[in-house]
Amino acid sequence: MALDTPKQLRNQMIYSVFVRNYSPEGNFEGVRKDLDRIRKLGTDIIWLMPVHPCGKLHRKGSLGSPYAIQDYRKINPEYGTMDDFIRLTDEIHAKGMKCIIDVVYNHTSPDSWLAQHHPEWFWHREDGSFGNKIGDWWDVIDLDYTSEGLWDYQIETLKFWAQYVDGFRCDVAPLVPVEFWKRARKEVAEVHPGCVWLAESVEPRFTALCRAHGMNCASDAELYQAFDICYDYDIYDWFSGALTGENSLSDYAEQVNRQETMYPANYVKLRCLENHDRLRAAFLISDEKALRSWTAYCGFMKGTFMIYAGEEKAARHKPTLFDRDTVDLQAEDRPDLSDLISRIASIRRDPVFTDSSFCVSVKNGRVLEAVHTENPAVPGGCPGARLAGIFPTDGRPSVIRTEKEIPDGVYENMLNGRKVEVDAGVMALDGDPVILRIPAGTQPG
């Protein structure tokens, strides 16, 4: 783990924005005008997906993928000018939020500035032509990090952007050498101390596939040497499997608990139900109460919580990356989760989230019970307060036993202010998610 990773990242929420599809304008101004609403959700960090020009050669769709970048040091003219970008980041900061941008360093577009000026920095096929190692990424060509000059250029680029932003989300970070990321983190800190480093780590099956084809692909454990936050793709297959019935909820909970023992003590995972590469949560979870419960659970998990723009409005359609496909943030025919997300973001400020032991169990086969126990302030001390979350994943009423994790008593549901009673270790649920605070010194029943 990066030794200076602050555990306070576990208290924070990221809001992910694809500028092209965020607003009818499809530009920086469209995002800037909505910053008050984004902040009201409880957002701490805005993540702007790639802001650089897209390549034209082998372009997917009419506008091209934002991840097929033509020039790392320029702004996509669709979005505005450099001055427009700086104005947006300045206002994000003025409203008390941070801004991170995408870093796509595994590959570029085939007609990139680097391909034209430094073809020696790229991987080449046996016939000498440009190419890529991932078959369906036919709109990009791979960089080759055996070139020291490439390292210097890429890090100088990061230092340039670090004048304006507060960190980087690094696309397919495992395919770029970990030693590069470690050096980049160290040198960027000289320009902007405390930058946030978020790695798009990958599924174990993707890692295995890459290695089977002779490609270097770092595990999460390796990436934590350089990054503050890694995706939780290491357990995504079990999460999606729990929704589709391919595995049980208990199988999923077991994988969540496994993370507590296999990563460093200050590990931070990115917790999200959806992102630009995955199906929308509202598409996968059609019942509104169940969707609210899964959203609350995700926000309760140990790690950094993330919302993908439109998720707060229960958008079902996943926007394409290759054409204009504006997210409808005004729809009145869908549930509005904004207040729920705002409340979760507020609850996450609790210091228990900062440094806790975290455990998830399953009740009645369909209810997730998660408990944060505040770690002692001094080694050998007594654990502090606890936060318990109970999440009916099907949104249906039920009666559960709390396994003595929650002592008998009457509590206030932190999500809605309603009273919740536990009697003889039994709790009645109405289908809504519940979060309770159990004071330090209170013994399990």
Side-chain angles (χ1 to χ4, degrees):
M1 188 79 189
L3 296 177
D4 56 349
T5 291
K7 292 182 180 179
Q8 287 77 12
L9 286 170
R10 296 171 178 164
N11 297 91
Q12 300 196 339
M13 186 176 90
I14 295 174
Y15 189 81
S16 173
V17 172
F18 181 18
V19 175
R20 178 192 293 164
N21 288 339
Y22 183 77
S23 67
E25 299 93 331
N27 57 19
F28 293 133
E29 181 63 12
V31 178
R32 190 194 66 81
K33 292 192 301 186
D34 207 31
L35 288 179
D36 286 334
R37 188 192 68 84
I38 295 173
R39 182 66 180 121
K40 188 177 179 182
L41 286 171
T43 301
D44 300 288
I45 302 169
I46 293 179
W47 157 26
L48 299 176
M49 288 167 56
V51 297
H52 312 299
C54 301
K56 296 180 179 179
L57 185 62
H58 299 167
R59 174 177 281 189
K60 290 183 177 180
S62 61
L63 296 176
S65 169
Y67 292 93
I69 290 173
Q70 193 275 329
D71 193 331
Y72 292 124
R73 297 187 176 184
K74 290 186 178 178
I75 287 292
N76 189 334
E78 296 176 47
Y79 300 167
T81 65
M82 186 67 187
D83 286 342
D84 295 326
F85 173 76
I86 294 172
R87 182 187 184 198
L88 173 60
T89 57
D90 283 348
E91 287 216 25
I92 289 172
H93 294 146
K95 293 182 184 299
M97 297 179 284
K98 293 182 178 181
C99 179
I100 65 176
I101 60 172
D102 241 304
V103 172
V104 188
Y105 271 10
N106 177 66
H107 48 257
T108 74
S109 70
D111 55 351
S112 67
W113 186 93
L114 282 183
Q116 296 173 46
H117 292 82
H118 289 283
E120 74 278 11
W121 291 351
F122 287 79
W123 177 78
H124 296 270
R125 299 187 182 98
E126 289 185 2
D127 63 4
S129 62
F130 291 121
N132 70 81
K133 306 182 191 75
I134 307 295
D136 62 347
W137 297 356
W138 46 263
D139 60 336
V140 297
I141 55 176
D142 287 354
L143 288 159
D144 179 1
Y145 279 83
T146 60
S147 303
E148 185 177 347
L150 175 62
W151 287 44
D152 295 338
Y153 181 89
Q154 299 290 61
I155 291 173
E156 285 302 314
T157 301
L158 290 169
K159 290 164 72 173
F160 167 77
W161 291 109
Q163 300 174 89
Y164 309 105
V165 302
D166 308 286
F168 304 98
R169 179 268 185 190
C170 301
D171 189 64
V172 286
L175 298 184
V176 176
V178 172
E179 289 303 315
F180 168 83
W181 294 123
K182 289 168 66 176
R183 178 182 152 191
R185 180 187 182 101
K186 180 180 179 181
E187 294 192 27
V188 168
E190 297 170 2
V191 175
H192 191 143
C195 269
V196 177
W197 291 84
L198 165 60
E200 185 200 20
S201 50
V202 297
E203 301 91 333
R205 53 187 165 80
F206 185 87
T207 302
L209 178 66
C210 288
R211 291 177 177 178
H213 285 81
M215 298 166 57
N216 291 321
C217 187
S219 66
D220 286 27
E222 293 170 292
L223 289 169
Y224 272 131
Q225 297 176 70
F227 287 90
D228 300 307
I229 310 170
C230 286
Y231 272 40
D232 65 354
Y233 277 173
D234 56 323
I235 61 171
Y236 183 84
D237 286 349
W238 284 272
F239 161 69
S240 61
L243 295 180
T244 60
E246 296 173 82
N247 55 256
S248 70
L249 207 56
S250 294
D251 291 334
Y252 164 70
E254 182 180 348
Q255 296 302 317
V256 176
N257 293 333
R258 180 177 57 87
Q259 292 178 328
E260 278 287 274
T261 60
M262 67 181 298
Y263 297 127
N266 63 333
Y267 83 98
V268 185
K269 277 286 182 179
L270 185 71
R271 306 300 188 179
C272 59
L273 291 181
E274 62 181 60
N275 60 54
H276 66 269
D277 284 325
R278 303 296 182 184
L279 293 172
R280 288 285 197 180
F283 179 85
L284 293 169
I285 309 165
S286 57
D287 181 82
E288 180 179 346
K289 273 201 166 186
L291 179 62
R292 288 181 175 276
S293 201
W294 272 108
T295 302
Y297 164 73
C298 186
F300 188 77
M301 293 182 78
K302 186 174 186 175
T304 303
F305 185 34
M306 191 189 84
I307 294 295
Y308 178 41
E311 183 177 352
E312 70 274 29
K313 300 294 185 179
R316 291 174 53 85
H317 169 66
K318 181 183 75 171
T320 177
L321 293 179
F322 314 126
D323 301 285
R324 285 299 300 275
D325 193 6
T326 305
V327 176
D328 185 358
L329 295 171
Q330 307 299 325
E332 298 181 357
D333 61 340
R334 300 192 304 263
D336 190 340
L337 306 181
S338 300
D339 288 345
L340 173 65
I341 291 169
S342 177
R343 186 63 190 146
I344 294 168
S346 177
I347 292 171
R348 292 182 62 83
R349 305 282 187 262
D350 194 301
V352 172
F353 282 89
T354 312
D355 191 8
S356 70
S357 297
F358 183 67
C359 183
V360 181
S361 58
V362 178
K363 312 298 179 185
N364 300 348
R366 53 192 175 86
V367 177
L368 286 169
E369 181 184 83
V371 179
H372 286 271
T373 302
E374 190 173 28
N375 289 330
V378 295
C382 295
R386 281 176 287 154
L387 289 178
I390 301 90
F391 309 96
T393 61
D394 57 2
R396 293 165 52 192
S398 63
V399 175
I400 65 167
R401 290 195 174 275
T402 65
E403 301 292 339
K404 299 183 180 181
E405 285 289 351
I406 306 173
D408 287 357
V410 178
Y411 300 87
E412 179 181 299
N413 184 352
M414 298 171 71
L415 287 170
N416 55 27
R418 297 175 191 162
K419 299 300 180 184
V420 177
E421 183 174 6
V422 178
D423 191 359
V426 174
M427 177 188 295
L429 302 171
D430 61 6
D432 289 328
V434 174
I435 296 178
L436 311 174
R437 183 176 178 85
I438 304 168
T442 305
Q443 298 299 315

